[in-house]
Amino acid sequence: MHMSFKEILAAVKESVSAIFRGEFLLRLHIERLFPHILFTFLVMWMSILMDMRVEKTMVELERSKSELNDMRILHAHKTVQMVSLNRISTVQGMLESKGSEVTLPEKPAAVIRK
């Protein structure tokens, strides 16, 4: 029952060559299990494909989160700028520095049309 090293090596070599020729499953006489093997291969392939798509989506999500954080910082900065311009004294100072003659109205606006 003992096999020599040469016989084992020859059997492995023959099995590998049978795999490359596509005869390995036929030699094991599992023809009736071939649809199940094919289905298993298809399920594994679909699993790998879905994993790759999920990974791509996660990378895009991280990029979007980073961009959203940048936009939040920009929005906060713009809000601070707008609040500083909301003060009448700031606006008057800016107008005076530009040499504009526009000032605050001295009397209320008149109604032109009703």
Side-chain angles (χ1 to χ4, degrees):
M1 192 95 205
H2 293 285
M3 294 178 66
S4 69
F5 181 72
K6 286 185 177 183
E7 291 173 342
I8 295 173
L9 187 62
V12 169
K13 184 178 177 182
E14 185 60 32
S15 296
V16 169
S17 67
I19 289 172
F20 286 121
R21 288 191 310 258
E23 299 172 355
F24 187 72
L25 296 177
L26 295 175
R27 286 187 182 181
L28 296 176
H29 302 292
I30 53 173
E31 298 88 18
R32 61 190 178 110
L33 297 177
F34 185 71
H36 299 291
I37 294 169
L38 189 62
F39 179 73
T40 303
F41 173 76
L42 181 66
V43 168
M44 287 183 182
W45 183 76
M46 292 296 291
S47 173
I48 291 170
L49 182 65
M50 292 300 290
D51 186 47
M52 288 172 48
R53 294 190 67 132
V54 166
E55 193 68 32
K56 180 181 175 185
T57 303
M58 293 298 288
V59 166
E60 188 175 327
L61 178 69
E62 290 299 320
R63 184 183 52 77
S64 296
K65 280 183 180 179
S66 173
E67 189 174 330
L68 180 62
N69 284 335
D70 292 344
M71 291 296 157
R72 284 184 180 155
I73 291 169
L74 182 64
H75 180 262
H77 182 68
K78 293 290 183 183
T79 302
V80 167
Q81 284 180 344
M82 294 301 291
V83 167
S84 70
L85 291 176
N86 199 19
R87 292 187 217 123
I88 293 175
S89 61
T90 306
V91 173
Q92 280 180 332
M94 289 173 61
L95 289 171
E96 288 173 4
S97 69
K98 297 286 184 183
S100 176
E101 297 178 6
V102 178
T103 60
L104 284 176
E106 295 175 7
K107 55 184 178 178
V111 178
I112 298 174
R113 291 186 191 163
K114 278 193 173 186

